[in-house]
Amino acid sequence: MLPICTFADIHFTQKPDSNLIKQLLDSGYVMESINPQAALNIYAEANQISKKINYVLGQAKAQHYSGIVYSDRSEYQSALMRYQKAMKLYQQINYKRGIGACYTNMGNLFRYQGKLDSALAYHQFAINFFKQSSQLDGLSMAYGNAGGIFQQMKQFEKANNYFTQAVNAAAQVNDSLSLCRALINKGTALNDLKKYDESVKINIQALKIAELLQDDYGLQLANINFADHYKRKKQYARAIQFGLKGLHYAQKLSTPYDVADIKKRIGDLYLENGNFAKAKTFYLEAIELSEKIKATEISATVYTSLHKLYAATADYKPAYNYQTLAQQYQDSILGEKQLKIINELEVKYQSLQKDKELAQQQLQLEKSRQYVIYSIGAFLIALLVVLLLYLYFNYKGKIYHKQLKAVQQEKEIQVLQALMQGEEKERTRIARDLHDEVAGMLAAAKMHMNSLVLQAQEIIQHKGYHQVVDLLDEASVSVRKTAHNLMPEVLMQHGLDKALCRFCNNISNDKLLVVQYDSWGDIGRFAAEFELSVYRIVQELLNNTIKHAHATEAIVQLSYQGNVLSITIEDYGVGINLNNLSEEGMGMHSLRSRVNALQGKIDVSSDVGQGVSVYLEFDTTECTVESVREEITR
C-alpha cells in the first residue's frame, strides 16, 4: 500500500482559487482506488481551502467525494454525514446536479444496509428532482436504482417498468454509459420474468457498449448476467467462466459489496456443478466480507446457500444452524411490515406525482387567464384600470398560494397522524401478545415446575431446579415490564397526569438522575389518542435527557388552564448550541413533527453548559373526553 499523503505541508506557488480546488479534487479522485485514506486527506485539504476563499461549490464537492470514499469502505454512517453536509451546501448555491447525486448516494447507502424502505424513499426523491431539473442522465440512474429495490423484493413487473423508463431517459440524452447500465438492469428484469430470449439480446447489446467504453462496472454486470443465463441452461462450467470474469472487474473496482455478492453467486454455480469444496470456499469468503461491511441481504442469501451445501452432504447439524441464521437475517430485511411500508411509499409517491401534475396544470391555466385579462385590459382601457387589474390578480395569486400551502400542510399532518396511529396500534398489539400469550406461557411453565416438587420431593434439592424457577420469574417480570412500556396501563386507566407522575418516579434515581414532577390545575381525561401521543413526546424528551444531557436533576411540570395544556421539561445538563443546526438531529425533528400533528407548539431554549428547557403547549378544546363524545353523537 502507498504511504498516506496530504497536501497540508505543500507550499503552493499560486494564490488559492477555484482552479486550485479543482486540481485537488481531481488528485483525490485519482487516489480513491489507489489509496483511499490519501484521497480523504486531499478532500479535507480542498474543503479547508474552499472555506478560506468562500468557494461553496468546492466545499460541497469535497464533502460529497469524501462520502463516496467512506461508502466504498463500508463506513456508512460517516458517508451519510458527508452527503448531508454536501446536500446543504449544494442547496445554498442551487447546484442541481449535486443535489440529485446526493439523493441517489444516500439511497444506495440505505440499500447496502438492507433498509429498503429508506432506500426507496431517497431514490424517489432523486427521480422527482431530476424530472424537475430535466437532467435525463441522472433520471436514468435514479429509475435504475428504484427498479433495483423492487427487483430485490421480487416485484419483477414493477422493476421492469422502472428499468424501461431508465433506458428511455438514457436514449433521449444519448448517454452511452447510462444506456449501458440501464440495458443491463432491464436484461436482469426480463430474465426474472422468464423472457429469456429478450434478456440475452439486451445483455449482448449492453456488453458491446461496455467493451467499447472500457467500462469496468458495465463489464462486471454484463458478465454476471451471462453467468446467470448459462446457469439457467445448466451449463455450469460456462457460467463459472463468466462469473469469474465478473469477479475480476469487481475486485478491480474495489467494491466490497459487489465482490461479496459475486462470490456468493460463484459458490452457487460450484454447488450446482457438484464441486462442494470450491462452493464452500467461495461461500465462506463471501460471508466474511458481507459481515464485515454489514451487508445484511447478502449474508442472508449466503447462509441459505450454506444450508443447501451441508444438506447436500448429509451434514445436517450445520445445515440446520445455517438455515436458522438465514431465516433470522431474511426476517430482518423483508418482514411483512417493511414490505407494507415500501408499497405504501410507492402509492404515496405516485399520488403526490398526480397531485403535482394537476397543480402545475392549474397554475398554468391561471397564468394564461391572467395574461389574457391583462392584455385585453391594456388594449381597451386606460393605464389606471390596467394597474388595478394587475394588483387584483396579483393579490388573487397570493391567496391561491396561501390556500395551496395550507392544503399541503394539512396533508402532511394527516400523513403524520396516520403514521403515529399505526405505530401505536402495533405497540398495543405487541404488548397484548406479550401480556396475554408469552406471560401466560411463562406462568404455566412455572406451575409445571412447581408440580414436579409434589411428584419428586428430591428435585427441590437440586441447584438447577432453583435456577430454572428464578429464570422463569425474571423472564415474567421482564415480559410484564416490556408490555407496560409499550402500552402503559396507568395511562389507559388513570390518564395523563398519573401516567407521567408514575413514569418520572420510575426513572428517577438518586445516584444518576433525580426527576421532579409537578402538576397544576384540574387535569381530567382527554381523548385516548391525544393522551398517548403527549405521553410519548414527554417520554422521548426524558430519554434524550438521560442519554445526552449528563444531568443530575430534571423537572417536569404539567399545567392545565382554560383548555390549554402546557408542559415544561428542564434539565441542568451540558446543554446544546442552538446556533449550530447540526446539534438538532433526526430525533428532535421527529418530535417537532409529532407536536405539529397535534396542532401544538414547541419551544426549545438552551446554551452550552446551561441545560435544556423545552416548552410544549396544546389546545385541548377538541381533545377532551366530552368533546370527543359530542363529535361521535353528531
Side-chain angles (χ1 to χ4, degrees):
M1 178 179 284
L2 295 175
I4 296 174
C5 64
T6 176
F7 283 73
D9 298 325
I10 298 178
H11 298 283
F12 299 105
T13 57
Q14 66 181 88
K15 183 180 179 180
D17 57 12
S18 60
N19 290 326
L20 175 60
I21 302 303
K22 292 176 182 177
Q23 293 174 17
L24 288 173
L25 294 175
D26 291 341
S27 299
Y29 176 76
V30 172
M31 295 300 294
E32 283 185 11
S33 58
I34 303 172
N35 189 337
Q37 186 58 51
L40 289 174
N41 293 339
I42 294 172
Y43 290 145
E45 185 67 20
N47 184 47
Q48 291 299 322
I49 297 176
S50 297
K51 285 183 179 179
K52 291 180 181 178
I53 64 175
N54 197 27
Y55 183 38
V56 179
L57 181 59
Q59 297 178 55
K61 287 186 175 182
Q63 294 286 358
H64 189 176
Y65 298 167
S66 296
I68 294 173
V69 176
Y70 280 115
S71 176
D72 290 340
R73 293 169 60 172
S74 303
E75 297 179 28
Y76 300 129
Q77 193 59 40
S78 298
L80 181 61
M81 182 176 68
R82 267 67 181 186
Y83 289 149
Q84 290 171 339
K85 290 182 178 179
M87 173 77 81
K88 291 180 180 179
L89 292 167
Y90 283 140
Q91 288 172 339
Q92 286 183 21
I93 57 176
N94 196 27
Y95 188 70
K96 295 180 179 179
R97 176 164 290 276
I99 296 171
C102 283
Y103 278 132
T104 298
N105 292 142
M106 286 189 280
N108 289 335
L109 280 184
F110 286 112
R111 182 181 180 183
Y112 297 153
Q113 299 173 79
K115 300 175 181 178
L116 302 185
D117 51 347
S118 298
L120 181 61
Y122 275 102
H123 288 320
Q124 288 175 334
F125 288 151
I127 290 172
N128 189 41
F129 184 83
F130 284 130
K131 273 186 176 180
Q132 289 180 340
S133 56
S134 301
Q135 298 181 58
L136 294 180
D137 54 343
L139 180 61
S140 174
M141 178 174 57
Y143 276 132
N145 288 328
I149 300 295
F150 286 106
Q151 189 175 35
Q152 191 168 342
M153 294 189 301
K154 303 189 183 307
Q155 297 186 22
F156 302 127
E157 284 292 351
K158 282 188 177 181
N160 186 46
N161 289 337
Y162 275 99
F163 292 150
T164 300
Q165 293 181 81
V167 171
N168 294 337
Q172 288 182 48
V173 77
N174 293 324
D175 185 346
S176 298
L177 183 60
S178 297
L179 180 61
C180 176
R181 306 286 169 79
L183 288 170
I184 289 171
N185 288 333
K186 184 170 178 61
T188 62
L190 290 171
N191 185 71
D192 292 330
L193 292 169
K194 304 187 186 307
K195 299 179 181 179
Y196 302 120
D197 293 338
E198 295 180 47
S199 174
V200 171
K201 291 179 182 178
I202 291 289
N203 281 325
I204 291 174
Q205 184 181 356
L207 183 60
K208 289 180 179 179
I209 298 175
E211 290 174 344
L212 183 64
L213 298 176
Q214 296 183 347
D215 174 24
D216 290 340
Y217 186 60
L219 291 168
Q220 169 197 317
L221 297 176
N223 278 287
I224 291 303
N225 287 345
F226 277 111
D228 291 339
H229 169 69
Y230 285 108
K231 176 184 177 182
R232 180 180 57 81
K233 298 180 71 174
K234 297 185 179 180
Q235 298 180 17
Y236 300 119
R238 190 76 185 277
I240 290 171
Q241 291 178 359
F242 280 103
L244 292 173
K245 285 183 181 179
L247 179 61
H248 165 72
Y249 289 113
Q251 290 172 330
K252 185 177 178 182
L253 292 167
S254 299
T255 51
Y257 182 92
D258 291 338
V259 171
D261 179 56
I262 294 173
K263 284 187 175 183
K264 183 266 175 188
R265 292 168 178 261
I266 296 174
D268 288 342
L269 293 173
Y270 277 117
L271 178 61
E272 295 287 349
N273 207 27
N275 192 336
F276 299 141
K278 278 281 191 180
K280 181 179 178 181
T281 299
F282 276 94
Y283 286 149
L284 294 178
E285 290 177 358
I287 200 65
E288 179 183 3
L289 187 53
S290 67
E291 292 288 354
K292 180 179 179 181
I293 65 175
K294 299 179 181 179
T296 312
E297 70 284 359
I298 295 179
S299 297
T301 58
V302 177
Y303 283 132
T304 300
S305 296
L306 283 168
H307 155 68
K308 294 178 182 178
L309 171 65
Y310 280 99
T313 57
D315 195 352
Y316 297 113
K317 183 176 180 180
Y320 174 77
N321 292 337
Y322 282 124
Q323 183 185 31
T324 302
L325 283 170
Q327 188 61 49
Q328 291 173 351
Y329 273 72
Q330 196 64 32
D331 289 344
S332 69
I333 299 170
L334 290 177
E336 292 183 2
K337 183 176 180 181
Q338 190 176 30
L339 280 172
K340 182 179 179 182
I341 291 173
I342 292 173
N343 286 321
E344 287 176 351
L345 281 172
E346 168 68 4
V347 172
K348 290 176 183 177
Y349 170 73
Q350 297 297 342
S351 177
L352 286 173
Q353 286 293 101
K354 292 179 181 178
D355 291 343
K356 177 187 169 185
E357 291 174 0
L358 181 61
Q360 288 177 340
Q361 292 174 359
Q362 292 175 342
L363 183 62
Q364 188 63 37
L365 180 61
E366 185 66 20
K367 288 182 178 179
S368 300
R369 289 176 179 175
Q370 290 182 7
Y371 176 79
V372 170
I373 293 174
Y374 180 82
S375 299
I376 294 174
F379 178 76
L380 298 176
I381 61 178
L383 179 62
L384 180 60
V385 177
V386 173
L387 179 61
L388 290 174
L389 285 173
Y390 172 78
L391 292 175
Y392 169 74
F393 284 105
N394 185 49
Y395 173 75
K396 188 175 180 181
K398 290 181 180 179
I399 295 293
Y400 170 77
H401 287 299
K402 286 181 180 179
Q403 291 174 344
L404 184 61
K405 185 176 180 181
V407 171
Q408 291 174 341
Q409 290 176 344
E410 184 177 352
K411 283 186 177 180
E412 291 175 0
I413 290 173
Q414 290 174 352
V415 171
L416 285 171
Q417 289 175 339
L419 290 174
M420 290 164 59
Q421 290 173 1
E423 180 181 317
E424 293 303 335
K425 286 181 181 179
E426 186 66 11
R427 287 175 183 261
T428 302
R429 186 190 66 78
I430 294 173
R432 188 184 302 114
D433 289 346
L434 286 174
H435 186 274
D436 295 345
E437 296 182 15
V438 179
M441 288 188 286
L442 289 172
K446 183 178 178 182
M447 180 185 70
H448 286 297
M449 287 298 298
N450 291 335
S451 67
L452 290 177
V453 178
L454 300 177
Q455 301 174 18
Q457 292 289 335
E458 65 276 6
I459 197 173
I460 200 170
Q461 304 298 327
H462 289 280
K463 181 179 179 181
Y465 168 79
H466 293 287
Q467 289 178 333
V468 171
V469 173
D470 290 342
L471 286 173
L472 286 172
D473 289 338
E474 291 178 7
S476 298
V477 172
S478 179
V479 167
R480 284 196 299 271
K481 183 177 179 181
T482 301
H484 290 161
N485 284 338
L486 286 170
M487 183 51 60
E489 185 176 348
V490 67
L491 179 65
M492 300 295 101
Q493 294 181 355
H494 301 290
L496 184 62
D497 187 18
K498 296 290 185 182
L500 288 179
C501 182
R502 174 75 63 84
F503 178 70
C504 292
N505 290 337
N506 287 342
I507 67 173
S508 183
N509 188 312
D510 293 338
K511 296 182 179 180
L512 298 176
L513 175 65
V514 177
V515 181
Q516 177 184 336
Y517 178 79
D518 299 308
S519 63
W520 295 277
D522 184 12
I523 305 174
R525 295 304 303 270
F526 304 102
E529 293 179 356
F530 175 79
E531 288 185 334
L532 187 56
S533 297
V534 174
Y535 180 84
R536 294 296 185 203
I537 292 170
V538 176
Q539 189 180 46
E540 180 65 20
L541 286 169
L542 286 174
N543 286 337
N544 287 342
T545 298
I546 294 171
K547 289 188 289 185
H548 306 299
H550 304 293
T552 58
E553 295 182 23
I555 297 176
V556 178
Q557 297 176 333
L558 187 69
S559 175
Y560 183 67
Q561 186 174 5
N563 289 331
V564 175
L565 179 69
S566 59
I567 306 171
T568 302
I569 301 96
E570 296 182 348
D571 66 65
Y572 303 99
V574 297
I576 58 176
N577 183 5
L578 294 178
N579 293 325
N580 185 357
L581 295 179
S582 64
E583 295 273 352
E584 188 170 297
M586 294 296 292
M588 185 59 70
H589 178 74
S590 175
L591 285 173
R592 291 186 184 278
S593 298
R594 292 185 182 188
V595 173
N596 290 336
L598 296 174
Q599 304 293 328
K601 301 176 182 178
I602 180 171
D603 180 66
V604 181
S605 58
S606 176
D607 204 348
V608 177
Q610 301 298 318
V612 177
S613 176
V614 180
Y615 175 75
L616 305 169
E617 183 177 293
F618 303 96
D619 184 354
T620 64
T621 305
E622 302 297 330
C623 300
T624 60
V625 173
E626 290 77 9
S627 64
V628 172
R629 289 173 180 169
E630 290 176 4
E631 185 68 25
I632 293 174
T633 57
R634 288 176 185 173

